[in-house]
Amino acid sequence: MKFDDFWYVVALSTQLKTNTVLQRQVLNEWLVVFRGDDGKPVVLQDRCIHRNSRLSQGRVCQGKIQCPYHGWVYDRTGKVVAVPSEGENFKTNAARRSRKYDTKEQDGYIYVRLSPQPIEELAPFTMPFYHQSGWETVRVINRFRNNVTNCAENFIDIPHTASVHPGVFRKARQQKLEMTVERRNGSVFAEYHNETNNLGWFARFLNHTSQEIKHTDSFHMPNVTSVEYNMGKYRRLFITSQSIPETDDSTLVYTDITYNYGFWNKLARPFVRWTAQYIIHQDIVALGIQWEVIEKYGAHFTNTPADTIHVFVESIRDRISRGEDPRKLPDKKVCLEFWV
Ligand code: FES
Ligand SMILES: [Fe+2]
């Protein structure tokens, strides 16, 4: 199993209109994304085989992309179907083709898979309650200067919230939380107990009765995190993030905030978007600083019990980077406590 066996988001479905060309990078590979003449997404290597111009600088017409340099035209299979300088002598030639990658469209996202022969057919993560009745989704995209591991860990890290997001998310109260963390089948599940009203600005709205919150965090190989808050009927919230590795130090994160606030669903949208962006910007700063230090001194961490999730996430990603299957790691479950 390798990182390029998995599906990665390259665009929102709505970003990729007919005749639109997008330039992307996934796992250091340059990609051009457009829709073919059948309307389905096409991802090719962003390189013209003629003399190496970038196809993403070209134009799409009727589902084919034309290189901006000498005008070679590629169809949705990556095959060269016109060479202007050859005029009437042009003949198709099976060897003249760009590298083409598999794509999928699901839950309003366009995915690419770089591996031509994955070890097994893995499915993209199913986004919880996307487009289901009673649920709203606000989707935001942000670039982090850090790697996927540190981004994913941040999104399910409670101890940083009181210091990086003071007030808006949580206040430091030295409240004791109990946590159960489990590593199973390439995923990590964390369940919290004792959480009540420490939810910052929106505590009154989100949990007006101050009942115990059902809060679970999870990580799913290789790059998805999901946070769920359940504060009763019409107060349910999922924050699901797909961290896309552009390069070793650049991660593009697609975040879905999917919630069911009943009557307040539509009215809440601008508040949800604004708050999500506000919090994510604080994390972009924190993770940028972390990356500066890692670049200078390397990634050496000192863990506490509250960092158990991180250790599990790293063990899973580490297996994949060694070409192994993290689902073969032994199941582990620990109960611990920490203060926030
Ligand atoms: S470099 Fe693309 S057509 Fe010449
Ligand atoms: Fe954060």
Side-chain angles (χ1 to χ4, degrees), residues 216-250:
T216 52
D217 290 347
S218 54
F219 166 84
H220 308 276
M221 66 174 186
N223 66 331
V224 179
T225 56
S226 193
V227 172
E228 182 190 358
Y229 283 104
N230 184 342
M231 292 145 288
K233 204 181 176 200
Y234 301 137
R235 291 294 185 273
R236 287 187 68 192
L237 165 70
F238 287 84
I239 305 163
T240 308
S241 306
Q242 304 219 25
S243 297
I244 311 304
E246 294 186 306
T247 61
D248 295 340
D249 66 358
S250 180

Side-chain angles (χ1 to χ4, degrees), residues 154 160-161 164-165 279 283:
N154 168 267
H160 84 282
T161 53
V164 175
H165 316 292
I279 292 171
D283 285 324

